[in-house]
Amino acid sequence: MDDNRIIKTEYSDEMQKSFIDYAMSVIIARALPDVRDGLKPVQRRTLYDMYELGIRYDRPYRKSARIVGDTMGKYHPHGDSSIYESLVVMTQDFKKGMPLIDGHGNFGNIEGDGAAAMRYTEARLQKVTQEAFLADLDKDVVDFVPNFDETEKEPSVLPVKIPNFLVNGSEGIAVGMTTSTPPHNLSEVIDAVKAFMSNEELTTRELMRYIKGPDFPTGGIVTNKDELLKIYETGTGKIKVRGKVEFEKLKNGRTNVVITEIPYPMIGMNIAKFLQDVAALSETKKTQDIVDISNQSSKEGIRIVIELRKDADPENFVNLLYKKTRLEDTFGVNMLAICNGRPETMGLREILRANVEFQFQVATRKYTNLLAKETEKREVQEGLIKACNVIDLIIEILRGSKDRTMAKTCLTEGKTDGIKFKSKESRIMAAQLMFTERQANAILDMRLYKLIGLEIEALINEHEETLANIYRYEDILERRDSMAQVIINELDQFKKEYGRKRRTAIENAEEAVYKEKEIEETQVVFLMDRFGYAKTVDLSVYERNREAADTENRFVFPCKNTGRICLFTDTGQLHTIKVMDLPYGKFRDKGVPIDNVSNFNSEKESIIYITSQTELNLRQVVFVTAQSMMKLVDGGEFDVSKRTVAATKLSEEDRVVSVMSVLEQRNIVLQTREGFFLRFSLEEIPEKKKGAVGVRGMKLGQKDAVEHVYYTLNGVETSIEYKGKKVLLNNLKAAKRDTRGTKIRV
């Protein structure tokens, strides 16, 4: 390799330069819109390509694949998917305040279904795009720059006549910055532009008399009206948007909550997420008012119906939706755009000022070019009129000349050398001719039918019209007021043809407050069978089925329906469950797996003990582990709201074998795997915090472990069966804690 091609540089410097170049390319040439036309490069190039291909609003649709391919080949070499996605968004009336492309076929919907492949869909320009975005491109009103391979020319900006950056909004992610501008109402924006042109000293507050706030295509309600002034002054902030809700009374006494408009951020897959969230409110017992949910949305509009119970409070339920679902959402505003070649976050005044300046620049170039054309036309017309007055002399010059050059020289300079004239007077008159070169060419190109009287009269009328146009164009260029009036007249025309009523309501709404129904506190009985299915039943139901309930279930105890259940596992965890989360009903109902209503995982841990939190608060709790570590813990330490906490501290490879509330028990009996039994008084167990390991309860052999724990009352005989032999626990020798115990021989 030639050494001259090797560039020696600091690695960090090269990386920094390369990253900055990449970042600026993304910021300027891809992700951010230009404040003048409100378009990103891919959007601008797609619209310009359609204009070049002649895919106008009054012509047949063309395949999207044709448009995408042509745009990618000529102007935007960044992949067909980005171009097609841009084209699709510009057709969607639920994303854009004013769609720029007329789509034919499946271009997706508000519920998040994507568009069909580009080979199936067709498109053409909207009428407004053609008239307001592309109309004056042939008048040299904007600069054209070379495309990526310098084989074509493309406009650096489109001569857009309306503030598209505000009307359609914009979203994009660049490097280290994002843009997020909400769409606005076309009529309001035009009124604001007109007011700003009349008085550029207007404050943001005064401009907001015209632009009330964002106007989302999905409608909805903006609820923080008072915060909009600061957002439009700084260009950043958060807009709170709610969906629109109506109530429908049914004949059966029930009420339907009908959502007819959704917040703008909910469009797409978030509608399905909203439906899931509403269903989850019912499943998690946040509300029991829901009877049915259905999405009845169609081409006519959004219609999500939630049927409520007869005794439900619809307004309170809607407040729950606002608080717990995306029916109330936030639109983050960051009005960032390219202004004068650099990214800038702008307030409303800065955006309008940039747009007005651009309108005047475009109008100046437009009418300067029109004036030049009309001036050129006037010169030709004056020459033709003058020629018609001396047409006989001109014919004589043409017939007497040897070639076109000789005749043209005579017309422009009065040179008669070599030309044959009929008389001396004709030569003298010809010598006095002083046509301009442009006039001479027009005379030489003139056809004989132009000498007809009516044609000469039409030429004179056309000349008068040209003079009027020149006077008008000079007035527009010389007086800013005249140019402003021309721009205003065009804006009024766009407002009249394309303006529409506001869709989004702007108001100050109070924060949604959901009042939970006060549940009447009652006594219920918790039942969990040996398969882990749990439920609650009424106390009277339990009393009628006491024997079966006690026989068929592993855990049975009373509790309050407003309380919590505490579930202790062999891994030392405490899982809490709201009693309201458990099914309440008939005795023979199956119940629900305890895994489904708690963080308990039956594959990784086993249930040791279950009781009510109310009962725990009144007692002490005994913990015993396989390695014979034990302690007493005050039950109040387990009065927690978290779904899962550590109930005790375990040594490595240890596990909990027993948890028990202390009621009237006086003695504890530990049984090991190898058949050792140790009975001692509960008073020997010290009280510790739940985070402590505890003390040793029994000396164990090298491979021995505590397997079972029993509790006895003084004076009450308690027996167990051990390897087919009946063992009276009360007859076991009373000993001290931390001794070996007695081995039972079989």
Side-chain angles (χ1 to χ4, degrees):
M1 180 182 287
D2 185 357
D3 290 342
N4 293 330
R5 292 177 60 190
I6 299 175
I7 301 172
K8 292 185 178 180
T9 182
E10 182 67 31
Y11 180 76
S12 59
D13 293 342
E14 184 63 27
M15 285 297 294
Q16 182 179 12
K17 179 181 179 301
S18 298
F19 182 78
I20 290 174
D21 290 345
Y22 159 74
M24 289 306 296
S25 173
V26 172
I27 291 167
I28 302 296
R30 293 184 74 171
L32 301 184
D34 193 302
V35 70
R36 295 172 294 176
D37 61 7
L39 298 172
K40 298 179 187 180
V42 64
Q43 296 171 324
R44 185 180 305 118
R45 289 163 175 169
T46 302
L47 295 177
Y48 178 66
D49 186 75
M50 294 177 73
Y51 171 80
E52 284 289 283
L53 291 173
I55 312 174
R56 313 297 167 85
Y57 76 94
D58 53 354
R59 295 184 187 176
Y61 294 94
R62 297 282 289 275
K63 283 287 185 185
S64 299
R66 172 74 170 88
I67 299 167
V68 170
D70 202 65
T71 303
M72 184 168 60
K74 288 182 178 178
Y75 310 115
H76 196 76
H78 299 296
D80 55 352
S81 60
S82 62
I83 300 172
Y84 186 51
E85 285 170 14
S86 168
L87 186 150
V88 167
V89 169
M90 286 192 285
T91 68
Q92 294 175 330
D93 57 4
F94 52 86
K95 280 191 179 177
K96 293 293 182 183
M98 186 177 67
L100 304 181
I101 294 176
D102 179 11
H104 183 238
N106 176 15
F107 277 91
N109 59 32
I110 196 170
E111 295 184 38
D113 296 325
M118 68 180 84
R119 61 182 178 274
Y120 298 120
T121 59
E122 298 176 326
R124 64 184 178 189
L125 291 171
Q126 290 275 15
K127 186 180 179 185
V128 65
T129 314
Q130 201 166 308
E131 293 178 350
F133 285 65
L134 303 159
D136 292 332
L137 272 176
D138 57 343
K139 296 182 178 65
D140 190 31
V141 292
V142 293
D143 293 333
F144 277 72
V145 296
N147 69 338
F148 63 92
D149 61 359
E150 299 187 357
T151 58
E152 302 278 347
K153 292 280 189 179
E154 61 174 310
S156 59
V157 64
L158 293 186
V160 179
K161 299 178 181 179
I162 56 177
N164 181 56
F165 181 62
L166 286 174
V167 173
N168 269 329
S170 183
E171 289 186 14
I173 300 174
V175 178
M177 58 185 70
T178 63
T179 179
S180 180
T181 305
H184 294 79
N185 184 275
L186 174 65
S187 300
E188 293 179 3
V189 172
I190 286 176
D191 289 341
V193 171
K194 289 162 57 179
F196 190 79
M197 288 175 67
S198 301
N199 180 11
E200 294 193 2
E201 300 303 317
L202 287 177
T203 64
T204 304
R205 186 185 294 277
E206 290 169 331
L207 288 170
M208 287 185 67
R209 294 176 188 169
Y210 307 97
I211 299 178
K212 311 296 183 187
D215 187 23
F216 297 108
T218 55
I221 304 166
V222 170
T223 62
N224 57 334
K225 180 179 179 181
D226 288 346
E227 296 176 22
L228 294 181
L229 176 60
K230 185 177 181 182
I231 291 172
Y232 282 116
E233 282 180 339
T234 61
T236 61
K238 292 182 179 179
I239 295 174
K240 295 178 182 177
V241 196
R242 285 180 181 174
K244 187 176 179 182
V245 178
E246 297 175 356
F247 299 128
E248 291 181 355
K249 294 285 186 182
L250 304 181
K251 292 180 180 179
N252 58 11
R254 289 177 176 168
T255 301
N256 278 354
V257 171
V258 183
I259 299 162
T260 57
E261 294 176 4
I262 60 173
Y264 187 66
M266 197 195 281
I267 58 177
M269 296 306 293
N270 286 327
I271 293 181
K273 177 71 167 58
F274 169 73
L275 295 172
Q276 292 172 5
D277 290 344
V278 174
L281 291 176
S282 183
E283 291 170 3
T284 58
K285 305 292 176 63
K286 290 284 190 300
T287 179
Q288 296 185 349
D289 292 339
I290 301 173
V291 174
D292 187 36
I293 312 168
S294 59
N295 186 2
Q296 301 174 11
S297 304
S298 62
K299 291 181 180 179
E300 281 66 44
I302 291 292
R303 181 178 168 83
I304 299 172
V305 181
I306 305 171
E307 188 177 343
L308 303 183
R309 298 182 189 278
K310 284 185 181 180
D311 59 346
D313 180 350
E315 292 187 1
N316 193 43
F317 176 75
V318 170
N319 283 339
L320 174 66
L321 295 183
Y322 287 149
K323 288 192 75 67
K324 299 294 184 181
T325 72
R326 298 192 70 171
L327 190 60
E328 179 175 287
D329 212 338
T330 300
F331 183 93
V333 177
N334 185 29
M335 295 195 286
L336 179 73
I338 303 300
C339 183
N340 297 323
R342 54 178 291 180
E344 188 175 336
T345 299
M346 292 177 285
L348 183 60
R349 292 184 75 251
E350 288 75 23
I351 293 171
L352 291 177
R353 175 176 282 108
N355 182 263
V356 168
E357 289 177 358
F358 179 60
Q359 295 302 323
F360 276 102
Q361 290 171 8
V362 169
T364 300
R365 289 183 63 164
K366 174 182 176 180
Y367 288 104
T368 299
N369 291 328
L370 288 175
L371 177 61
K373 288 182 180 179
E374 290 297 312
T375 303
E376 182 181 319
K377 193 188 294 183
R378 179 184 65 181
E379 180 185 338
V380 171
Q381 290 168 346
E382 288 175 347
L384 292 176
I385 291 170
K386 182 179 176 182
C388 288
N389 293 332
V390 290
I391 192 65
D392 293 335
L393 175 62
I394 289 174
I395 291 172
E396 194 172 338
I397 293 171
L398 295 176
R399 293 186 67 180
S401 299
K402 293 180 180 179
D403 53 32
R404 181 185 176 99
T405 303
M406 184 180 287
K408 183 178 178 181
T409 303
C410 180
L411 291 174
T412 56
E413 300 175 13
K415 292 183 179 180
T416 58
D417 298 343
I419 301 176
K420 295 179 181 179
F421 288 94
K422 292 181 180 180
S423 64
K424 187 177 180 180
E425 289 79 8
S426 296
R427 182 181 294 276
I428 294 171
M429 291 176 64
Q432 297 173 359
L433 295 177
M434 293 295 289
F435 289 102
T436 66
E437 186 170 343
R438 189 176 286 116
Q439 289 173 336
N441 286 329
I443 292 168
L444 293 172
D445 293 338
M446 184 175 67
R447 297 185 180 184
L448 289 175
Y449 77 87
K450 288 288 185 181
L451 299 176
I452 299 172
L454 290 176
E455 289 292 330
I456 294 173
E457 187 178 337
L459 177 62
I460 293 171
N461 292 337
E462 186 180 339
H463 179 57
E464 291 175 352
E465 185 180 335
T466 300
L467 292 175
N469 286 339
I470 290 172
Y471 175 78
R472 178 167 167 263
Y473 296 156
E474 286 176 342
D475 180 63
I476 290 171
L477 290 169
E478 290 170 4
R479 295 177 59 242
R480 186 177 175 88
D481 288 349
S482 296
M483 185 177 288
Q485 191 57 51
V486 169
I487 296 171
I488 287 171
N489 291 342
E490 285 187 330
L491 289 173
D492 284 337
Q493 188 176 346
F494 290 130
K495 177 183 174 181
K496 181 179 179 181
E497 187 166 356
Y498 303 110
R500 55 165 176 76
K501 290 183 179 179
R502 163 173 282 279
R503 295 170 182 166
T504 302
I506 309 287
E507 61 184 50
N508 282 316
E510 295 181 4
E511 186 175 349
V513 177
Y514 173 66
K515 296 179 181 177
E516 293 192 28
K517 288 184 180 178
E518 292 186 6
I519 301 167
E520 184 180 351
E521 189 174 85
T522 59
Q523 190 86 353
V524 295
V525 177
F526 172 84
L527 305 174
M528 192 187 90
D529 64 20
R530 55 197 174 90
F531 300 107
Y533 283 82
K535 61 177 179 284
T536 58
V537 296
D538 190 80
L539 188 59
S540 60
V541 172
Y542 168 72
E543 293 293 349
R544 290 197 301 270
N545 301 274
R546 179 188 288 269
E547 186 178 347
D550 293 344
T551 304
E552 297 172 7
N553 291 285
R554 181 181 171 190
F555 292 100
V556 180
F557 55 83
C559 57
K560 299 289 187 183
N561 63 337
T562 55
R564 287 175 176 266
I565 303 297
C566 293
L567 186 155
F568 295 89
T569 71
D570 64 339
T571 59
Q573 298 295 309
L574 166 64
H575 302 294
T576 63
I577 307 162
K578 286 183 179 180
V579 176
M580 292 297 296
D581 290 344
L582 295 166
Y584 171 80
K586 298 177 182 178
F587 178 70
R588 288 299 172 189
D589 288 347
K590 189 174 183 180
V592 63
I594 204 77
D595 307 48
N596 292 4
V597 290
S598 70
N599 290 338
F600 170 69
N601 187 339
S602 58
E603 295 181 0
K604 296 181 179 179
E605 52 189 344
S606 301
I607 297 172
I608 299 299
Y609 182 57
I610 301 180
T611 188
S612 71
Q613 198 169 63
T614 305
E615 182 68 22
L616 275 181
N617 288 343
L618 304 173
R619 312 290 176 193
Q620 287 181 308
V621 182
V622 184
F623 282 83
V624 183
T625 74
Q627 294 179 6
S628 184
M629 302 306 294
M630 57 197 315
K631 64 182 176 182
L632 280 172
V633 180
D634 184 270
E637 289 202 40
F638 304 112
D639 191 354
V640 293
S641 58
K642 290 184 178 179
R643 296 192 70 188
T644 301
V645 295
T648 187
K649 186 176 181 181
L650 292 174
S651 301
E652 192 175 347
E653 296 184 2
D654 200 2
R655 63 183 181 85
V656 178
V657 294
S658 175
V659 179
M660 182 60 66
S661 298
V662 177
L663 301 171
E664 299 174 355
Q665 305 99 314
R666 289 292 174 265
N667 300 292
I668 185 169
V669 179
L670 306 182
Q671 176 206 321
T672 71
R673 190 185 303 136
E674 295 182 355
F676 284 90
F677 285 76
L678 176 63
R679 179 168 78 95
F680 57 91
S681 173
L682 284 172
E683 294 177 355
E684 293 195 43
I685 305 173
E687 183 173 319
K688 301 279 187 179
K689 294 293 183 182
K690 72 177 192 299
V693 176
V695 298
R696 189 166 65 180
M698 183 179 185
K699 290 182 179 178
L700 300 174
Q702 189 173 359
K703 295 183 179 180
D704 206 0
V706 175
E707 200 169 52
H708 295 289
V709 180
Y710 308 103
Y711 298 89
T712 67
L713 298 173
N714 291 335
V716 179
E717 188 176 278
T718 305
S719 64
I720 63 161
E721 187 175 305
Y722 174 68
K723 296 186 178 182
K725 180 179 180 179
K726 185 177 180 181
V727 178
L728 287 172
L729 298 178
N730 303 69
N731 291 344
L732 291 172
K733 180 183 176 182
K736 293 290 184 182
R737 179 182 63 80
D738 199 20
T739 56
R740 187 66 189 268
T742 305
K743 185 173 179 66
I744 301 295
R745 306 279 180 187
V746 181

